[in-house]
């Protein structure tokens, strides 16, 4: 299982930054983040990944050249990163395709009044190197557990740096059924769950798309994680 970077520490760093760097918008976003939900932590979902890299320096001008996709996301709505654990929809009833249009998969259909819309932007998102066999690790800050988790990967030939993601671009590669919180592993201020994945013969840049159906209510989480399959493993 891959090492899990502590989301709790990310929130602490973010809170300190907000306290000193001002931005009324960020301050108003913190209470929802503190209420706690979860995210894909490895490979990291886009909002979580941007928070990990830039929470202490999110106003740095060099982000524009070093990490342009995170830059446009921070500029569009900083609360998307502070609320990295709130990318969900309620009442979907399992009909994910009907709830989320093509081109809006990474924002969960512009959920939360469009807060995460910038995550749908096409471009050079930083990609996590992975081998053919890897694990998707979900961090559950609220200890919801899962009715199921489904992991998809884009088809070979899809170019996430140039193409908008649609349901037809994805292939289901792994899934697990009901997994109550008691079966998850303890993590820093929460729980973690690891889902084994075989990427097959895929190479190069891809998007790993994870749907986590929480157990406490009809609450569905959606995560776009950017990866680069550089070597078989």
């Amino acid at each position: 299982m891959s090492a899990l970077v502590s989301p709790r520490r990310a929130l602490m760093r973010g809170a300190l930054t907000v306290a000193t760097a001002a931005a009324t918008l960020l301050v108003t976003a913190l209470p929802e983040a503190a209420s706690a939900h979860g995210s894909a932590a490895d490979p990291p979902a886009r909002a979580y990944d941007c928070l990990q890299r830039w929470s202490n320096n999110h106003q740095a001008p060099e982000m524009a050249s070093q990490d342009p996709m995170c830059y446009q996301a921070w500029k569009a709505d900083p609360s998307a990163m502070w609320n990295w654990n709130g990318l969900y929809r309620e009442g979907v009833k399992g009909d994910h395709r009907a709830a989320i249009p093509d081109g809006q998969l990474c924002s969960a259909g512009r959920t939360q009044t469009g807060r995460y819309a910038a995550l749908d932007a096409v471009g050079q998102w930083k990609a996590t190197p992975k081998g053919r066999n890897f694990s998707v690790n979900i961090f559950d800050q609220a200890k919801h557990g899962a009715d199921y988790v489904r992991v998809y990967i884009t088809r070979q030939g899809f170019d996430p740096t140039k193409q908008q993601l649609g349901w037809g671009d994805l292939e289901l590669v792994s899934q697990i059924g009901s997994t109550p919180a008691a079966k998850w592993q303890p993590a820093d201020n929460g729980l973690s769950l690891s889902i084994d994945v075989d990427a097959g013969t895929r190479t190069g840049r891809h998007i790993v798309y994870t749907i986590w159906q929480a157990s406490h209510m009809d609450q569905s989480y959606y995560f776009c994680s950017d990866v680069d399959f550089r070597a078989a493993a």
Side-chain angles (χ1 to χ4, degrees), residues 138 140 144-149 176-181 184 193 212-216:
I138 297 175
D140 183 357
H144 289 323
D147 283 347
Y148 57 82
V149 178
I176 60 172
S178 178
T179 311
W184 291 45
L193 181 68
W212 164 30
Q213 183 67 38
S215 295
H216 69 302

Side-chain angles (χ1 to χ4, degrees), residues 49-60:
D49 197 30
C50 289
L51 181 72
Q52 288 288 296
R53 281 199 301 277
W54 295 101
S55 61
N56 285 338
N57 204 20
H58 66 277
Q59 294 178 323

Side-chain angles (χ1 to χ4, degrees), residues 122-124 154-155 157-164 205 207:
V122 177
Q124 294 284 345
T154 47
R155 301 174 185 276
F158 176 83
D159 185 350
T161 69
K162 297 178 181 179
Q163 297 172 260
Q164 210 162 39
R205 292 288 304 261
I207 295 173

Side-chain angles (χ1 to χ4, degrees), residues 122-197:
V122 177
Q124 294 284 345
W125 291 91
K126 296 287 187 181
T128 303
K130 290 293 180 183
R132 178 176 300 162
N133 297 290
F134 66 101
S135 295
V136 169
N137 295 316
I138 297 175
F139 178 76
D140 183 357
Q141 195 174 23
K143 303 181 181 179
H144 289 323
D147 283 347
Y148 57 82
V149 178
R150 297 172 184 166
V151 180
Y152 301 79
I153 306 179
T154 47
R155 301 174 185 276
Q156 188 65 25
F158 176 83
D159 185 350
T161 69
K162 297 178 181 179
Q163 297 172 260
Q164 210 162 39
L165 182 64
W167 289 104
D169 302 313
L170 297 171
E171 294 180 320
L172 181 66
V173 294
S174 187
Q175 60 182 324
I176 60 172
S178 178
T179 311
K183 293 186 178 181
W184 291 45
Q185 296 299 310
D188 186 14
N189 200 33
L191 301 172
S192 67
L193 181 68
S194 178
I195 301 98
D196 292 333
V197 177

Side-chain angles (χ1 to χ4, degrees), residues 52-135:
Q52 288 288 296
R53 281 199 301 277
W54 295 101
S55 61
N56 285 338
N57 204 20
H58 66 277
Q59 294 178 323
E62 59 265 27
M63 192 196 315
S65 58
Q66 295 178 10
D67 200 349
M69 299 313 295
C70 280
Y71 176 77
Q72 63 86 32
W74 279 103
K75 187 174 181 180
D77 195 336
S79 68
M81 274 58 73
W82 302 123
N83 291 279
W84 55 270
N85 55 7
L87 216 170
Y88 63 87
R89 297 183 69 92
E90 294 179 347
V92 172
K93 298 180 180 179
D95 197 352
H96 306 291
R97 293 191 179 214
I100 302 176
D102 286 347
Q104 298 182 17
L105 274 67
C106 297
S107 68
R110 307 290 166 83
T111 191
Q112 312 295 336
T113 65
R115 167 183 289 163
Y116 302 97
L119 302 182
D120 290 319
V122 177
Q124 294 284 345
W125 291 91
K126 296 287 187 181
T128 303
K130 290 293 180 183
R132 178 176 300 162
N133 297 290
F134 66 101
S135 295

